[in-house]
Amino acid sequence: MKISVVVNTFNSDRFLDQCLRSVEKFDEIVLCDMHSTDGTIAIAEKYGCRIVYHERTGIVEPARNYAIAQAENEWVLVLDSDEVVPDALREYLYRFAETAEQRGYAALKMARKNYFLGRFMHGDYPDYIIRLIRKSKTYWPETIHARPVIDGGIFAIPSRRRELAVEHLANESVSSRIAKIDLYSDKELLRRADQRFSVWKAFSKCSWRFLRFYVVKGGFRDGKAGFTYAVLNACYKFATIAKIWERQSSED
């Protein structure tokens, strides 16, 4: 059983070397680039990637289906350029792909380890992501933070198997997190513009977001970083709702 790796990039040279080094033992690496102006392409060439190009869209989702379609193999591992695959996970993926079809599975859900202010975020684990897919059984919606639509069963690696989690190398600063809140909440309007929120519903949604990250999932174990991370996640929810209110008020 062969597996292709697909990586979408735009000015991604910060972590790309570590990402590609972790997957160079897979059967194929396809790098779909949005016309980077940094060292992304030079790094990709060093690892013998097959490079294809897609127009710049501001977010990765519109390029997912195109990138996946370029892969030669049916099984495709979709990675971001700041993600690393441990050796134990690579071996697990090949074992899974060998028997997945006969067991009715078309995709694999795996945990991801996220970091903030230099600390592993307990409150954001396991952060499950669907990334190993059968190409012919998958469609990726083009809206921000969309999850792939899978025609078939999805198996999840138990979260206790932390050695099999994807390593997310991005160690965000407060400033970069706030910038993403503004950018991504704008994009959220594309799929949430018709939703309605009362003040009470907005308060409860934001409060639950904070409690889920800080209390339920154990973010309190991460000190000030964990508290900050939970607050900023609640702010992301509120920024989205506030922008929905703003748009709806202008349309009334």
Side-chain angles (χ1 to χ4, degrees), residues 158-172:
S159 60
R160 67 178 182 275
R161 300 288 305 275
R162 290 197 178 188
E163 78 279 9
L164 300 179
V166 172
E167 289 279 349
H168 192 195
L169 297 178
N171 179 27
E172 293 182 316

Side-chain angles (χ1 to χ4, degrees), residues 173-227:
S173 65
V174 173
S175 294
S176 64
R177 192 73 180 175
I178 290 173
K180 281 187 175 181
I181 288 173
D182 189 41
L183 174 64
Y184 289 172
S185 57
D186 277 348
K187 303 294 184 181
E188 289 277 5
L189 291 178
L190 298 174
R191 63 173 182 164
R192 300 185 186 274
D194 295 331
Q195 295 182 2
R196 297 283 172 175
F197 295 90
S198 65
V199 171
W200 170 248
K201 186 177 181 180
F203 176 78
S204 60
K205 288 278 188 182
C206 297
S207 298
W208 168 243
R209 185 112 174 175
F210 170 80
L211 290 171
R212 183 166 68 91
F213 278 91
Y214 191 65
V215 179
V216 177
K217 298 184 70 176
F220 60 86
R221 290 180 286 176
D222 303 321
K224 293 177 182 177
F227 179 78

Side-chain angles (χ1 to χ4, degrees), residues 1-181:
M1 186 64 65
K2 293 186 176 181
I3 299 177
S4 296
V5 177
V6 167
V7 183
N8 288 84
T9 57
F10 172 65
N11 287 352
S12 304
D13 63 1
R14 183 179 180 188
F15 298 113
L16 187 60
D17 189 83
Q18 292 163 271
C19 171
L20 296 181
R21 189 184 313 126
S22 77
V23 296
E24 61 182 340
K25 292 184 180 179
F26 283 83
D27 299 284
E28 175 192 35
I29 305 174
V30 178
L31 187 132
C32 180
D33 187 68
M34 291 186 180
H35 302 279
S36 292
T37 57
D38 64 356
T40 294
I41 298 303
I43 296 171
E45 290 173 341
K46 183 175 73 170
Y47 286 93
C49 298
R50 185 155 59 87
I51 301 168
V52 297
Y53 291 92
H54 190 278
E55 64 179 335
R56 293 181 189 174
T57 59
I59 58 174
V60 69
E61 284 78 11
R64 289 286 200 202
N65 292 314
Y66 173 76
I68 292 167
Q70 310 311 306
E72 293 182 352
N73 300 304
E74 172 68 358
W75 282 102
V76 177
L77 175 64
V78 180
L79 277 187
D80 289 341
S81 62
D82 58 1
E83 294 173 341
V84 164
V85 176
D87 288 341
L89 177 58
R90 172 175 50 81
E91 294 167 3
Y92 183 97
L93 296 181
Y94 275 97
R95 291 196 301 270
F96 174 82
E98 287 288 346
T99 62
E101 187 173 356
Q102 67 192 53
R103 293 187 291 154
Y105 293 120
L108 179 66
K109 184 185 296 186
M110 57 198 75
R112 179 169 60 174
K113 296 177 181 176
N114 293 314
Y115 299 85
F116 180 66
L117 301 183
R119 298 193 62 164
F120 166 63
M121 290 289 99
H122 289 88
D124 206 15
Y125 185 82
D127 188 26
Y128 271 121
I129 49 177
I130 300 172
R131 291 297 182 79
L132 183 69
I133 58 169
R134 285 187 62 192
K135 181 171 65 173
S136 64
K137 301 290 184 179
T138 301
Y139 170 74
W140 214 296
E142 297 187 356
T143 53
I144 191 168
H145 294 160
R147 297 182 178 182
V149 178
I150 307 296
D151 180 16
I154 303 171
F155 182 79
I157 301 175
S159 60
R160 67 178 182 275
R161 300 288 305 275
R162 290 197 178 188
E163 78 279 9
L164 300 179
V166 172
E167 289 279 349
H168 192 195
L169 297 178
N171 179 27
E172 293 182 316
S173 65
V174 173
S175 294
S176 64
R177 192 73 180 175
I178 290 173
K180 281 187 175 181
I181 288 173

